Amino acid sequence: MNENVARHTQLAILAVGLLSFTGILVETSLNVTYYTLTKQLGVSLSVLQWLTSGYLLMVTIVMSTTAYLIQRFAAQRLFQFAVAASLVGTTLCAIAPSFPILLLGRLCQAVATGIATPLMFYLIMALIPHRQLGQYMGLASMIISLAPALGPTYGGWLTALWSWRLIFVMIIPVVLVVFWLGQKFIHLPAKSQQRRFDWPGLLFLAVALVSLSEGVESTGTLGWYTLTTWAWATIFIAAVVLLVNHARRTESPLLNFKVLADPAVAMWAIVFFCLQFANIGLSFLLPQFTQNVLQSSALTAGLMLLPGSILGGLMSPVAGSVYDKIGPRWPLLVSNGAILLSCLLLWGFTGLLTGTIITLLYMFFRFGFNFGFGNTMSDASTRVSGPLKGDLSSIFNTLQQYAGSIGTSVLAAILAANERLMPDKKAAITQGSQQSFFLIAMLGLIGIVLTILITKYRKARR
């Protein structure tokens, strides 16, 4: 890090970043415990996946409020509340005797992550000089993208060592250290401007997100042509229409969609969404495939993802530095190209996959993801100024979390649909995984197309 950035600023960012890291680490740690939890808690995978998708859904809803919260409250007060929510949620999860209590604890943890993650990015955008923005955004991306990849290894190791409960127990001392750091070094006051909180907007957004997630799950477990599926689809469409109409009329919308008026920002938002859908979706899918098809243990399933985790984490600051020097085009083309190719290979050779092949292809995938993820938000942030940066951070972080939630729900629904239609679970998981690999590959293709369009748009504007 450059010495021009004060040490207390670096430690403030570190404190919030570590709180975000712990939340996301636990999120993906549970992916390798589902095989165990379905037996211990007596629930199906389609229900159990709400520990991830429900968590991310709550994170999304909380993140949608951060544009208001950042202006209304000082950074340290928001940080204190996030730490309290994290400690309550982690404790509930560690002692949970049943699925509902475990889910309640996860939702409390989601509140903490939903505040900490956008607060970290806001501190960076508010305190870091423009010439170092890419570097610090890359480091922030490394923190939040390393966690989901390390999670399966962490969760698999602790589950094999003793119990899945240890995943939560080990987090508590880390959160306490983070609290001490934040109390000492976070000093960013609230914005002077005040605006009313958009309660109707929050209600419409929450209903839209929940109904879409429920509809996706219903499609997988019940099928397309059922009353339940169509009911959720109707609720989703109605909520979206109400949300859009409300946002047009109110002076202080929950999410300020005006930042998406610039076509380049809007297209970067889509690329950002696709990248996170692919990232969280694949980190959910591969442990299910390795445990159910390859009959691997939770620890082995986690270890398969570890080399890719390390490579991806190392690539984030490098990608940020490359962006600072040459701009977004080539980093994003390389990023989405790697995602496209790696997932096409997973799709083409699904029936021949081994632990070694999965490890190598996941390394290629993580290289691609981390080479582009932080740079999308970095470039989008250069196209807005002043108070709109907080709105941009809120929208992008909301998209990031919901992409993970809906990505998990969609891939879980694909697996559930195949299990419903095929009596052999191993064959169903194999076919469902193959379909999912192809879907993720197409997201990489979308990213390539949009990156090219953004480049042409920017040249035309010049």
Side-chain angles (χ1 to χ4, degrees), residues 333-387:
L333 287 176
V334 170
S335 169
N336 288 283
I339 290 173
L340 173 62
L341 183 56
S342 61
C343 289
L344 282 179
L345 290 171
L346 285 169
W347 168 70
F349 297 97
T350 302
L352 302 174
L353 291 177
T354 64
T356 301
I357 294 174
I358 290 174
T359 299
L360 293 174
L361 290 178
Y362 188 69
M363 288 177 67
F364 189 30
F365 172 88
R366 288 293 310 201
F367 161 79
F369 170 77
N370 288 89
F371 209 73
F373 182 65
N375 289 331
T376 57
M377 190 171 178
S378 293
D379 197 66
S381 70
T382 64
R383 305 186 67 85
V384 300
S385 59

Side-chain angles (χ1 to χ4, degrees), residues 180-193:
W180 176 81
L181 273 176
Q183 282 290 98
K184 190 171 183 179
F185 296 109
I186 297 176
H187 302 290
L188 187 65
K191 294 285 186 179
S192 57
Q193 88 175 66

Side-chain angles (χ1 to χ4, degrees), residues 57-124:
L57 187 59
M58 177 61 79
V59 172
T60 304
I61 295 170
V62 173
M63 278 189 177
S64 70
T65 69
T66 54
Y68 168 83
L69 294 176
I70 285 171
Q71 293 186 19
R72 178 68 177 82
F73 300 102
Q76 192 176 77
R77 287 186 64 187
L78 291 176
F79 175 77
Q80 291 168 346
F81 184 81
V83 168
S86 177
L87 287 174
V88 170
T90 303
T91 303
L92 282 175
C93 290
I95 63 174
S98 62
F99 175 76
I101 301 300
L102 182 58
L103 180 59
L104 177 61
R106 295 294 293 131
L107 295 179
C108 290
Q109 288 183 313
V111 172
T113 306
I115 294 174
T117 304
L119 183 59
M120 173 180 63
F121 283 107
Y122 180 70
L123 289 177
I124 291 173

Side-chain angles (χ1 to χ4, degrees), residues 72-328:
R72 178 68 177 82
F73 300 102
Q76 192 176 77
R77 287 186 64 187
L78 291 176
F79 175 77
Q80 291 168 346
F81 184 81
V83 168
S86 177
L87 287 174
V88 170
T90 303
T91 303
L92 282 175
C93 290
I95 63 174
S98 62
F99 175 76
I101 301 300
L102 182 58
L103 180 59
L104 177 61
R106 295 294 293 131
L107 295 179
C108 290
Q109 288 183 313
V111 172
T113 306
I115 294 174
T117 304
L119 183 59
M120 173 180 63
F121 283 107
Y122 180 70
L123 289 177
I124 291 173
M125 289 190 287
L127 302 175
I128 300 301
H130 178 76
R131 66 183 180 277
Q132 293 177 261
L133 184 62
Q135 179 187 2
Y136 275 80
M137 291 293 270
L139 289 170
S141 297
M142 179 179 69
I143 290 173
I144 64 172
S145 61
L146 187 61
L150 287 177
T153 303
Y154 170 77
W157 175 61
L158 292 179
T159 301
L161 180 66
W162 179 52
S163 166
W164 56 268
R165 297 181 188 275
L166 200 56
I167 293 172
F168 302 100
V169 173
M170 297 292 288
I171 292 296
I172 294 176
V174 178
V175 175
L176 293 175
V177 171
V178 163
F179 176 68
W180 176 81
L181 273 176
Q183 282 290 98
K184 190 171 183 179
F185 296 109
I186 297 176
H187 302 290
L188 187 65
K191 294 285 186 179
S192 57
Q193 88 175 66
Q194 301 289 324
R195 67 184 191 186
R196 298 176 62 184
F197 186 72
D198 184 16
W199 288 107
L202 179 62
L203 175 63
F204 296 146
L205 178 66
V207 171
L209 298 181
V210 172
S211 59
L212 179 57
S213 296
E214 287 283 0
V216 168
E217 182 192 358
S218 177
T219 301
T221 55
L222 302 176
W224 287 95
Y225 305 107
T226 64
L227 180 60
T228 301
T229 300
W230 284 102
W232 284 120
T234 302
I235 294 172
F236 168 70
I237 294 171
V240 169
V241 171
L242 290 171
L243 177 63
V244 172
N245 287 335
H246 173 74
R248 288 177 177 174
R249 296 175 182 177
T250 185
E251 295 181 359
S252 302
L254 182 69
L255 293 175
N256 187 359
F257 294 108
K258 291 180 181 178
V259 298
L260 301 178
D262 185 324
V265 175
M267 286 187 281
W268 278 143
I270 295 172
V271 174
F272 193 76
F273 183 92
C274 290
L275 285 171
Q276 186 67 349
F277 184 112
N279 177 43
I280 299 299
L282 196 63
S283 69
F284 164 79
L285 179 64
L286 288 178
Q288 313 315 315
F289 179 85
T290 54
Q291 288 181 274
N292 287 281
V293 178
L294 302 184
Q295 299 299 304
S296 300
S297 66
L299 178 58
T300 301
L303 287 173
M304 286 181 189
L305 307 185
L306 183 59
S309 312
I310 296 172
L311 177 62
L314 294 174
M315 285 309 304
S316 288
V318 174
S321 297
V322 172
Y323 165 80
D324 288 336
K325 293 177 180 178
I326 66 173

